[in-house]
Every structure is written in structure tokens, then in C-alpha cells.
Amino acid sequence: MNNIIKLVWLIPVLPLIGFLINGLGRKALSKTLSGYIGSAVVLGSFVLSFLVFLQVKNGASATVHFFNFIDLSTFKIAFDFKIDQLSTLFLLIITGVGFLIHVYSTAYMHDEEGMNFAKYFAYLNLFVFSMLLLVMGGNFVIMFIGWEGVGLCSYLLIGYWYRNTNYTDAANKAFIMNRIGDLGFLLALFWLISKLGTVQYDDIFTTASLAKLSAKDITGITLLLFVGATGKSAQIPLFTWLPDAMAGPTPVSALIHAATMVTAGIYMIARSNALFSLAHQTQTIISIVGLATALLAASIAIKQNDIKKVLAYSTVSQLGFMFVALGTGNYVAAVFHVLTHAFFKALMFLGSGSVIHAMGGEQDIRKMGGLHKHMKITSITFLIGCLAISGIPGFSGFFSKDEILAGAYGHSTLLYSITLFAALLTAFYMFRLYIITFTGKFRGTHDQEHHLHESPKAMTIPLIILGILSVIGGYVGVPEVLGGHHELAAYLSPVVKSAEHHLSHNTEFMLMGLSTILVVISISFAWARFRNYSIEGEAKGLGSLLENKWYVDEIYQKIILNPLKSISAFFNNIIESKLIDGAVNGVGKMINYGSRQLRWLQSGQVGGYVLLMVIGMLILFFIQLFL
Amino acid sequence: MNALILSAIWGLVMMFCGVFVKSKSIPKYIAVLGLSIVLISSMIELLTKKSFFHFGYNNMLNTEGFNLSFIVIILFCTLIYFLLTGSEIEKVGAHVGEYFALIFFVLCGISIVATFNTLLMLFIGIEIISIPLYILTGSDKRNLKSNEAALKYFLMGAFSTGIMLMGIAFIYGGNPNASFYIDKIEMGIGHMPVLIAVGLLFVLVSMSFKVSAAPFHFWTPDVYDGAPTVFTSFMSSVVKVAGFFAFLRLFEHAFGIVQDQWQVLIVFITVATLLIGNVTAVFQQSVKRMLAYSSIAQAGFMLLAIFALNDKAKEGILLYAAAYSLASIGLFGVLTKMEDYTIDGFNGLAKEQPVLGLAATIFLLSLTGIPLTAGFQSKFFMLMAAIQNGHHFWIVIVAVLFAAISAYYYFRVIQAIYFKEATKTIILPHSINIPFKIMLIVIAALILIIGVYPELVIGWMYR
Amino acid sequence: MDIKAYIILSLVLFTIGIIGVLVRRNAIIIFMCVELMLNAVNLLLVAFSKMHALSSAVKASPGYASDAQIFVFFIMVVAAAEVSVGLAIIVMMYRNVHTVDVNFLNRLKN
Amino acid sequence: MGNYITFPDLLTWLPMLAGLFCFFVVNQKKAKSTAIIFSLLIMGVSIATLFFTNDAKYLSYNNVNYFWLKYLGANYFIGIDGMGRMLTLLTAIGFPLILLSTVNQEQQNPKAFYGLMMFTQAGLMGVFMAFDALTFYFYWELALVPVYFLCSKWGGERRIQATFKFFVYTFAGSLLMLIAIIYVYMHTSSRAIEEGVMIPHSFSLTAFYNAQLSVTEQNWLFVLFFIAFAIKMPIFPFHTWQPDAYDQSPTSVTMVLSGLMVKMGLFGVLRWLIPVFPAASVHYKNIIIILSVIGIVYASCIAMMQDNIKRLVAYSSIAHIGLMCAAIFSMNVISIQGVLLQMFDHGINIIGMWVVVQIIERKTGVKKISQLSGLAASAPVLTILFIIIALANIALPLTNSFTGELLMFTGLFQTSIWFAAIAGIGIILSAVYTLNMIQKVFYGSVNKITTEVKDISLQEKLILFFIVGIIFFIGIYPQPLIDLTKESVTNILFRLK
Amino acid sequence: MNITTLVFILLSVMSVGSAIMMISSKSPVHSVLWLIVVFFAISGHYILLNAQFLAIVNIIVYAGAIMVLFLFVVMLMNLNAETEPIKNYRLQLVGIISGGALLLVIVSAVMKIDTEQLVEMKVGDAGLIKVLGMNLFKNYILPFEISSVLFLSAMIGAVVIGKKDDEVVNKPEN
């Protein structure tokens, strides 16, 4: 045990080393070498993580102290790593999926020139490093370091093709929206510090210190933390950056914007479950926001035509599900869904990457179709992903989603039914995507058709592995009702204490059955609708509303950005130059004016001078003798 | 005593020198020699507390350390003045010896007003200062400006003399001791007698006139502008400070105990002076005239000493005497070398004449009151005095805000010297002789030294 | 006589002098007005000296009472000196511009 | 006190000597190298001071104290405590960086230029070490005057007006402070300097701490002091001199102004204002925090509107200083410690920013953001280094500012959540304008102006790497700085009780 | 009303009246003559106050020497009523009003004195030449000597300013 724990520092440091090698030596390294290095370090981390996992799965946990980051005698922030079941699970996801995506990238990014290629891997490694810091941090500050770090890497990677202004716009948007969330996180952090004087998980999540917090404190802190989570995990109102973030290379979307970074919010709330369980109002808000996001994103996804956009909105929607789970206190379900989602969403993103690769960069599904013939592995693995996300029994998504639904049902029937509806939409749009892309006739140009080919091994192997994982990933959490033991729940139990739902087995069966049947119906509907897809005209009414993403971006532009700009312009043009500078210069002008006026007193005539002197005397005499 | 008598005697010597010596440049050396003698003898008097001359002057003068140290400072500054601009005096007109004689008489008058103990001596002293100055102002007979200045100065000066005498008469009338001695004026209990109050007002007005405090300052810009530059230099520095010294001495010893009854008048005058001096100076285009207004502005600061009337004020007035005189003398010295007195006339001076530029900059910085210059120390002591006084605190804030404004017009000259390019139409001085440059450097160095270590000046008064 | 009478008298004379300075433009007349002011002062001083001569404190030494009259003497001395210089200046100006109007020379202003 | 030369002596006299050397001894060509060599030497001395931190043991090395104006009770008293040590270190590091980074710029009349630069350094050093109010005031102005000349002589086309505004503004402020100094001085208690000689008052810091001031007196003296410091920092609404001055000054002077000089104001607040007027500080704290917080948002908003890269950095600096000021007046251990950290960090970062801005301006000849594009393609190393510095400037974790801002915000939060929240908007806005600027200047495709631009030279690389190195070192391990200044924080807060 | 008061009033009216005439008469020569009348009236006052020495000196110095000098200059310049510059009416009025106001202020302040202090008339030795002489040459020797400096400078002034040596040049404006 101890030996491995002593080595945990290597887990983040390895990717950091990879980053430094790739970053500093990007001119010297060949593409192959930097690809190897980039992947190898992550693999190394994965191996270590796995070793750690072997240790902690028996219930052990540890806080590893390195040095004091900040030490004021009254207040300390330690540089600590917290190694427990939750963090280890995330370690595995990050390094595991991360490794696969690194491998995939070596092939996907092959067209980039050498320096940029190395830069790409450097960024990717830096991302892994930050994400590892985020989950391993032993206190909120270290988590925050990772938290902002992943935001930065996301920014860098979205803007990877920096010549395109739209892409860099998207990158800025992502960073800024994340920062808004970060502010919430920070404020929560300050609140905690001012109340408890510490940021250490081990000190905060004890009954004794939680008791020190008033109800108002708890609500406030959890709400602010949740604001942080909405930023990172793309929930209403801060979700719009995620679809735009698809500007980055596809593997990046897979890793950052599907599997890992966006789940940071869930991780954080799961990590603080002790706190959130005490805040019922916050929980309600979380579930409402989650649900609304799930619905909204799902509805938008129906009408999107960019393959990655659909996946992006689906991610937002799935994250919404996870928040519903968090809101209902069902932390294990949320984490479970993170796990399965990481598999199938990464799979689908990589699959879409494979498609895009084959299509020579084309992302519009309307110009695809019938790709199944040309790229079987991609198609099949993508289908597995779709099945998994739709919650077809047997696939991983089924188990996790079902758990969320069960939790929602335990909470309220209304919540359950809306969540279910969102799940049905998921199935619908995913299959819409699949059907339009992979079945039917090819609708692209001849050139494209000619070049269609299955992707190289470095891409397909990760697809296959993820495909397998998307199937079997769910079996770590088979619920009791299906004869399982829910190993995940047991594994996480030292850290995460979910709310208990006492649903009878019958009810659970009934729910599963209902959702399965409805999902199948939904899929069939999609099949019926898009089997013979041809390019549609302008959508109208609701359709156009959906196609334009409910005009959320435009609304933000109207109610936030434009006023901000006008205020800034007002500050700049009126207050700064007229009022403040005007006042300062005005004093100068006044003096100048006074100077010009006072000069007339100096008339040059003795009589005038004497007269003024006499008047001066008069005033002085008057003051002295009569006042 | 030494200064008084020796400078009177040397004035006589210079007068005869004017008659018998035909060369124009010789009187300067004689004057420097004489002034050195006067200075040294005064220093000896200050150090030994013994005068060379013993006769009963009925306690009409008071040669305490403070007064003597002021005289020493004044004599020293005048010596610097002679050394720097002695050769300029030669250029004013034909009567070189006479000019020097008049300056010595002025010094004689200054040593009276610095030590007077009775109102009579004050009056005579002031007249001995004024009359030679009227003449010096008008000494450039060919110049109508000089004529005009002399006439204005004379008429207004005579007018103010009348006012001062009226004041003295009232003070005498209100004084039951029937004495002109300033420390024998009885103020009674409570409010001072009305007669004395009226007298005080008259005297205040005429002293304000002498030190060019507003609203009795109107003669200053015109006279300083019209007089030959080299004499303006003397008038605006040494003489002006002497006026303040007399002002301070009179009001401290005669009216000090009822200060609370007239302080508000000083406040009024001070604020008006600061306002008019600083604000009007802003718009001036001629450096000479700007300096005239700035001398009014500086007077506003010196008035704080009268306002405060405490030990710090005395130290401050000594420092001001040294700092302000040196800077003024230096600056006017530079000005005498300039062809064009407008601010634009200084454009690019630093490039053409680096020494002149640097020295002028230091003088201007000192006048502004930038630390490490003597000007700062003097302002600092004045502020300290005013704050120590404890009444009307706001006047200090007004004073420093106006000091900030003063930076505006002083720095315009600095900007011209350093940051602007010389235009072809403006003639900058070409050949400046080495002694002049050396003197400028010496003055600048003195200003800096006093700025760092002001006890060099005020230490005298504690001897 | 009450001293107030003398005070008022000399103040009136003094003020007439001031008014003269204010209303006249002839330099010589202005100068004469100043002389009038000085005379008003002289009169007042003498009156005060005679007033003090009555007070018991001063009576002991008559020298004190005569101080003011000596002062008047000095004022006359100074006035004489001033007149010589003043008239010289006025004459100089007259020689240059052939007028004694104080407002004629008006180069120095603002 | 012994007769040996002490550290404060070295730190003030060396730059002064260097200045005189540049002015009078060396020729035009050597002035630059003289200044650089001296500044490196001073940096060495300053680093050496870090090893003599045990005051009990090394007191005599760290203090200079002798009578200056005996009758007044003013001593020439300079010394280095933790806070002073840190800021002198910053000054000592800053100057070689500034001089080296602008080494390629040819100045006309380098003797005067470098001479004045070194005088400025002397002034700054003195301010950070003064323990006597008069000494403090002297150095305070000594730092100002050379800068006036530097800006007016070597600045941009509107330099004279801009600098003049700056000068008069600061001069007026410092005169007000002078009044307050004198007033406090008048209320200090007398003490014996030698056998039988009593001095009525004293200018020393301790005497000021023990001055007998009523609450009302404290309140308005505080205002007088504060205006001087507020102008120097500058905080809203006393800031209008600053963008103009930064824009119009030669870049190296801008670096001095923004990196080092603004610290004078903050330092003044910490060393003089709060400890001398504890009651008034508490009385005004909310007003000042509100002003600062408004300033943060306000300056950030204006920064977003700027097209001139120099003005943008200037306004961003106002926002940062606003935060520091707000944190100071939160007056708790965490916030003040944060401010001390941030003073150092901000100094390094903003110098780094200016170094890059200066390189860009020199290479392209423009400072308009809208005229630049695609520098990342032509100068990738510069881009990366600048992004790091810019991100450090907006306090990304693991860069130096993060710890400072974290602590400052924590402290500010303890005053009120709303202050922290509104100030936090500044964090967001800072990201907005910084990223916008990066996007417009570095990203996109190259245009006519930027296409010819070459990447930076080795020497510039070294400077920027050095800055980045400091950024990361302090970002990851700020504890040495904290340890250095811990005691100062305790001392300041002790006065508040 | 005794004779002293009568004489006092007479002299006062005379002095004030001729002073007014002095400032109001158009011709400078008349002004000089009126001023001489004032001086005589004031000398009368001195005699009334038993200040004989001053009365004499006043007539000799002022009326005799100074005013003659004035008259001489006036005649020399050939000034008369026609060449007399006149101020505009409004300025004159302002001058008179402000002067009058000043008088009013001071007089009303002085009149507030309650105690009646008398002036010694016709008798007393303070103004006698013997007392004055003793005092002047015993106590006031210093100012007496110093006033020689005053005359010296006045003399130099006359030389410097009065001596005609160059023709007038209208120097360019600086």
C-alpha cells in the first residue's frame, strides 16, 4: 500500500513531464516520438492509477501531504493529494480514456505539421495533468488549481487552430464562461474559509465542522459551488460554450468535452456530498437545473446537423441527467453515469472523428449517409454507443440511466416523467444521427465518396476498446433488483453516501420496463422518420427555434453582452473622458480662465491700483473693526 | 551694528568711487571687497556678540542672534548677487559706482529693519530701503518702461509710507506708555484698544504693500517688469525678504500677544495673495513678469510666518530668505543673459547652454518646492509653523494646493528648457563666461546643500 | 480739546489726500496729496503727544511726550528726501514724454 | 550603530552613485552598460539581504539611523524589515530586467537617461526602507522628479502634457501628505536624544505610531494621507493621469511606473496609513473598499474598450491595484498577506507585460490592437511567453498572482460577500479583455504589418524566461515570500488592536 | 465756546477747505498754493498745541522749501489748467465714495471710545525746542545720524536720475 501511495505524485507528474518534453522540445521531436511520449506518460499514469485502485478498492484511503502551499500561521493551504475510492475511480477514467484518446490522436492529428503536433500533445498532456490535479487534490484549492487548469487547456485546445477567428472566439467563450463559474466556486471557497478557516476535505467534511455552518451558510456555499459546477459542466445558464467548443480537434472533444473535464462539476459535488446532503433547497435547484438542461439540450440536439454539435448537445443533456441524480441525492448514480458516459460518449466522439477524418473534414451530416458500407468498425462501434446512450438493456447506459430514473422516481413522479421524456429524446436524436450518417445513400461529393475509407488502426483500436467498455462498463453497477450487488456503490461507500431510495423491486422492474419500451418506440420512430433522409428545407416554428438553439446565444448577446458593451462605452466615453478627466482638466482650465480674468485687475494705471488698495483696506478695516 | 555702519560707510566709498574711478569694471571689485568686509564683520559680531562700534543707541536696535543671522544671510546673498551679476550692473548705465552705493544703502536699511526696536527705526529703515530702490528702478533712463516703473513705484510707495505713518500715529496714540518701542506697546485686557487696532490695520496694510501681499501687490508686477532685470533680481529677492523680516519682527514683538485678534486678517491676505499670485502667473508669457507674479505667490507662503508667529516661523523665514533669494538671484542671473524674455525664448536652452539650463532648472525646482532643494525646506518650515500655530488649519491646505499650481508655471519654463526645440528666430545666449557658470553652479549647489541640510542656515540663530 | 476732534480732523485731511490720489492724474498733484497725508499724520502725532503729556505716567519724564514730535521731525526729514527723489523721477518722465499724466505711460500691465 | 556600511546604505547609495556615474563620469556609449552593471550589482546586494533576515542578530546590518535635522528630531532612518526587504528585492530585480529588456532601444542622450533611471531606483529603494516620515517624504519625491524628466524628455508625442498632469497630480497629493506628516509630527511626544537634550517631537515611525491624535484628527489626517497614496496607486477616481502617462512614457519608464512605483502607494498605506491611523482606517474602510471595488469593475470595463494596447494594460493595472487596495482595507491577516504577495507578483507580471508590449511595438511599429493580427504564426515563442505572462496577470492557478489574489479575495470576503462578489466580476472581465487582446494580436491570420515580424532574440527570450521562471516559482511555492513578510503583517495588524 | 475751540474750528475749516480746494482745482499752480495754505493752517494748529518748534519747521521746510520746489517744477513744466489730465467722472465718483467709506469706517470705530481724553492746549513743554533738542541729541542720536544716509541716497538719486546723458530710446518690448 504505502509504496504505491508514495508514488502517487508520479501520476500527475508523468503527464507534466510529457507536457514539458513536448512543449519545450517541439522543434526537436519527430511526430512519432512526441506522439509516443504523449501517450506513454498517460499510460504510465494509468498503470499507476490502476495499482492505486487495487489498493483502495479494499476501503483504504490516504491523504498525501507534500508541502504547504500557503502557510500563514492562522491559515494553511496544504499541497495535498487525497487518494480514496472516488478520486481513484476518476483517475482510472481520466488516464484510461485519456490514454486511448492519445493513441487515437497520434493517427487523427497526423496531418498537422511537426511543431503543432507536438504542441497538441503538450496541451493534451497538460490537460491530463490538470485534470489529475483536480481529482487528486486534497483540498478545494488544489481542486481549484486543476479546475482552472482544465479550463485553460480547454481554451488552448479549442483555439488550437488559431488562425480561424471563429475557433478562437469559441475558445474565449469557453474560458470566460468557465471563469464565471469559477467565480462561484471561488466565492464558495472563501465562504468556507471564512467560516471554517480551512479548505481541507478531511477537515470540512466532518460532522463537527459541518455543524458549525448555519443553514444559510450551507445553502450559500452549495449554491455557489453549484454555480461553479454549471460553468464547468455546461448547465443552464452557462452551457452555450460547450457546443461551440467543438471547434477543437475531435479527440479533444472526446476527452475534454465529453469524458473528463465536463464531469468535473459532478466530481466536485460528489466530493462534497456531505455538504450537499444538508442543503435541500440547493438540491432541488440542482435537479431542476439539471432537468431543464437535459431537456433543453436534448431538444436542440434533435435539429442539429453538425455531427459534433449533436454529440455536444447530447453531452450537455447527459450532464443534465447527472445533475438530476445529484439533485436527488443519488451521488453514486451520477458517478456511475459519469463512468459509462465517459465510455460511450468518448466512443461516439472518436467515431465521429473517424467519420470526419474519412470525409476529409466535413462535419455536416446532411452531406453524409451510407457510411456503414465504407467504415464498418466505426459504424458498429458508433451503434454500440448509441445503444448505450439510449439505455437499451444490456448496454452500460441502461444501468446508469436507470438508476438515475429510479432515483428521480423516488423523489417525485413529475421529475421522473420529465427525465424519462428527456431520455426518450436522447434515444431519438442519437438514432437520427446514426441513421442519417451511416445508413441510406451517400449525399456528399464524388471526391469525398472516393476517399471514404476506414480509419487506421491507431484509431480503430481505441474505438473497439471503448466499444467493449461501453457494453460492459455498466456491469460494475448492476442493481440488486437484477441480481447484482452494485459493486460501484459498495466501492464508493466510504466516500459517497447516497440518499436511500426504498423502491420496491416491483416498482423498479416496472420502471425499467417502461423506459425500455418507450426507448424502443422512440428509436423506431427515428428509424421511420429518417430512413430515407434527404436534405430538408428551412425549418419553421418550433423546428426553427430548435435549429437556432432556442436563440440562447442571441438572448445572451442581447441581455448581457450588449448592455455590458454599452456600459463600458459609457464609462469610457462619458465618465472617464468627460467626467473624471474632464474634472481634472477642468480645474486646469478654470485656473487658466481665472488667470486671464485676473489679469484685468492689473490695469497698469496707478489710480486703479490705489483704488483697489483702498477697497482692500476698506474690507480689512471692516473685518477687523466691525466683525 | 557692524553691518549698518559699515555698509553706510562703504556706500559713501562707492559714491566717491563713482566720482573718481573712470573705469566701469573696477567699482564691482571694490563693491565685492566692501561687501566681504561687511559680511565678515557681521559674522564676527554674530559669533562674538560684540560690535566694533560702541555708542549709545538707546536700545533702538536689537542685535540678537536671530536678527544678526538674518543680516548675515542677506549679506551673503547680496555677495552672491554681486559675484553673479556684478558685470550686468555695469551695463545699466553710466553711474556704476552710484548704483553700488545705492545697493549698499539699501543694505544699510535692511540691517535697520532687521534689528529695529522702535517704530521710528522701522520707518527710517524702510525709507532708506525704498528711496534707493525708486532710483534703481528708474536707473535705465532711456527706457520708458523703466521710467514708468519708477514713477509707479514711487507714487505708490509714498502713498504706502503715508499709510504706515498714520498707523504709527494711531499706535502711539493708543499706547498709554507714549512710546514707539515695539515691546512697550500696551494691549490692555481683552480686546485691544480701538486706536491700536486702527493703527495696526494701517501698519498691516503698508507692510503688506511692502511685501507685495494682495490686494496691495499691484505695483509688484509692473515694477519688477519695468526695472532693469539686474535690479529686479535684487528687489525681488533680498529686499523682499527683508520686508518680510521686518513684518515678522513688528508683528511678533508689537502685536504678538493679541495675535488671535488680527490673525483672520492675515488669513484673508494670505489666501488672496496665494490666489492672485499663483493664478495670474499661470497666464504670463514673459518669464520676467511670471517671476514677478511668482514672487507674489511666494509672498503668500512667507505670510504663513506672520500667520504663525512662532519659532518655526522664524526658522522658516531665515530659510526662505536664503532659499528664495538664492533661487531668484540665480534665475534672474540666467534671465539677464537671455535675449528673449518670453517662455518660448528658453526653448532648447539646455542644448545650447547645458550649465545654464541645469542651473535654471534647479532654481525653478527650488521655487516650486521640490524636496532636496532649499525651496522645499523653506516651504516645509512654513507649513510646520502654520500647523503648529493650530488655528485656521485649512489655510495650509489652500497653501499647498496653490503650491501645486505653482508647479504649472515653473515647469513650463523647465519644459521649454529641456523638452522643446529651439526655433531659429530665437537667439539663445552663445558665449557665457566661465565665472558666471561657476557662480551658477555654486548657487545651485548651495540650494541643494541647504535642501538636504537646512541647519546650515537655521543653525546660526541658535548660536 | 477732546482728542477725538484732532483724530477726526487729521483723518479727514488724510482721506482728502487719499481721494486726491484716487481722482487726479497729474503725478505732481498726486505727490502733493501724499504730502498732505503726511501732514495729517504729523498733526495727529503732535496731538497725541500733547494728549500723553497730560497722563500722569508720562508727566514724570517730559522726554516721552516729545518723542512724537521728534517723530514728526523725522517725517519731515524723510519727506524732504522723498520729494527730491520724487520730483527727479517726475522730471525725468516729463523729459521723456512731455507729460505728467500717470496714465500716459501704460506699457506695463496685465 | 557601527561604522561599517550597511545594506540600506548600499541599496540607496549604489543606485545614486550609479546615477552620478552615468551623468558625469562615463561617456555616452558606456552609460547603458554602467547602469546595467550597477543594477545587477544592486540585485546581488538585495538578494544578499535575504540571508540576513534575523533582525535580532543582524540588526546593525539592516538599519541606518543618525540625526539629520537635530532641532526637528528628524533622523535619517532607513532599514529593511520583511516588507521592505521584499519590495527592495522587487525593485532590485525589476531594474535590471527593465534595463536589459529595453537595451536595444536607442535613447538620445543615454547618459542623462540612465542617470535619471538610477536616481529613480534610489528613490524607490529609499521609500521602501524609510522608517522616518521625513526621510520617507524625501525619497517619495526623489522617486517622482526623475520620472518626470524621463517621461517628458523621452516619451511619446503628447508626452509633455501627459507627464505634466501626472506630475502636478502626484505633487499635489504628496504635498497634502506632507501637511499630514507635519500635523502628526506636532502631536508626537518628546524624547531625550542625549544627556539633557530633549527634542519636542519626532518624525520616526515609532513616534508616529504613538502620536496622540483624537479620533476626529485621525479621520481627516487619514484623508490627507490617503489622497496622496490613492493618486500614486492609483485607485478610482484618482487615476486619470495614469493611462496617459503609461501611454506616453518611454516603455522602460512605464515599466518603472507600473511595476514599481504604484507599489509606493500601497506600501505607504501599509507602512504609514493604517498603523498610524488605526481608528480612521476602520472608520473609512468601507468607503475605500467600495471605491476600490467600483474601480475594479470600472477599469476593467474601460480596458475592454481600449484599442491601444498600452492603455489596455494601464487600465488592467488600475483594476488590479483596486483589488489590492480593497484587500488592504479588509485589514485581516489573510488579505494583507495576500496584498504583500501580490505586490511582488504584480510587479513582475506587469513588467513582463510591458516587455512584450514593447517588443511588439518595436517590431511592428504599432500599438493599436486592431492593426495587429496573427503574431502567433510569425513569433510563436513570444506568443507563448506572453500568454503565460498575461494569464499570470489574470491570476491563473500555479502562476504567481493566483496565491496573492486567492488570499486577497479570501480576506475581502471576510468583510463582505458582496465586495468579494463584485470584485470577482473583475476576474471575469479581466479574462475577457486579456483573451480578446491575445486573440486579436496573436491569433488570426497574419496581415501586412505582422508578416515580416521575426521571433524574439535570445536575449529577449532569456529575460522573458526569467520572468516566467519567477512567475511559476512563486506560483507553485509562494511560501518563501510569505515567510519573509509574515512579521510585517503581524506588526501592521497589531496596531489595529 | 471758548477762544481755543473757536481758533481750533477756524483752523480746521481752513485746512480742510483748502485741502479740498487743493485736490479740486484745475490748475496745478493753484493746487500748490492751496496746499501751502493747508500747511499754514496746520502750523497754526501746532502753535495752538504749543509745539512751537514744529510750527516753525513746518513752515520753513514744507511751505518754504518743499512747496517752493513743487511750484518751481510746475512752473518749469509750464503746467496749467489746460494741460491737466482729467479722470473720467465715474472713476472720480468711485474714488470719492471709497475714500469716504474708509473715513466713515475708521471714524465710526474711533468714536466708540467712551473715555474722553483731553489734549493739552497752549501750555506744556513737550514741544519746546529745548526739550526736543535734548531728546533728539541724547536719545535719538542714532536715527539722526542714519537719516544722513537717506539724504545721501536722495542726493545720488538726483545725480543718477537727473543728470541728462543720453537721448531716449524706445526699447523694444520684452
Side-chain angles (χ1 to χ4, degrees), chain D residues 101-123:
Chain D
S101 65
T102 53
V103 78
N104 295 333
Q105 278 178 327
E106 281 309 321
Q107 316 285 1
Q108 43 163 321
N109 196 355
K111 275 169 76 167
F113 182 83
Y114 289 101
L116 288 169
M117 282 296 268
M118 296 316 284
F119 280 139
T120 313
Q121 187 181 16

Side-chain angles (χ1 to χ4, degrees), chain B residues 35 54 66 75 126 183 215 235 243-244 253-254 297 304 315 321 369 433 454:
Chain B
L35 193 54
H54 301 281
F66 176 54
L75 292 173
I126 283 179
D183 43 6
M235 282 159 63
F244 265 105
H253 288 93
L304 289 181
E315 293 170 3
N433 56 5

Side-chain angles (χ1 to χ4, degrees), chain A residues 93-104:
Chain A
I93 299 173
I94 295 158
T95 52
V97 179
F99 170 64
L100 293 176
I101 292 172
H102 274 73
V103 172
Y104 178 91

Side-chain angles (χ1 to χ4, degrees), chain A residues 591 595 602 604 609 613 624, chain B residues 152 218 222 261 279-280 283:
Chain A
I591 291 168
S595 185
Q602 199 75 26
Y609 293 171
M613 276 176 72
Q624 176 70 6
Chain B
K152 280 180 178 169
F218 294 100
D222 294 1
Q261 295 176 37
V279 172
T280 320
F283 212 75

Side-chain angles (χ1 to χ4, degrees), chain B residues 388-403:
Chain B
Q388 196 177 29
N389 180 274
H391 299 102
H392 300 285
F393 179 79
W394 56 273
I395 197 175
V396 193
I397 294 174
V398 172
V400 298
L401 289 180
F402 279 118

Side-chain angles (χ1 to χ4, degrees), chain A residues 71 162 168-169 179 576 581, chain D residues 165 298 315 394 439 479:
Chain A
D71 178 12
Y162 57 82
T168 47
D169 274 343
R179 269 238 149 171
E576 181 77 357
D581 216 17
Chain D
K165 189 163 154 193
Y298 175 82
Y315 277 107
I394 62 173
Q439 182 191 19
Q479 196 57 37

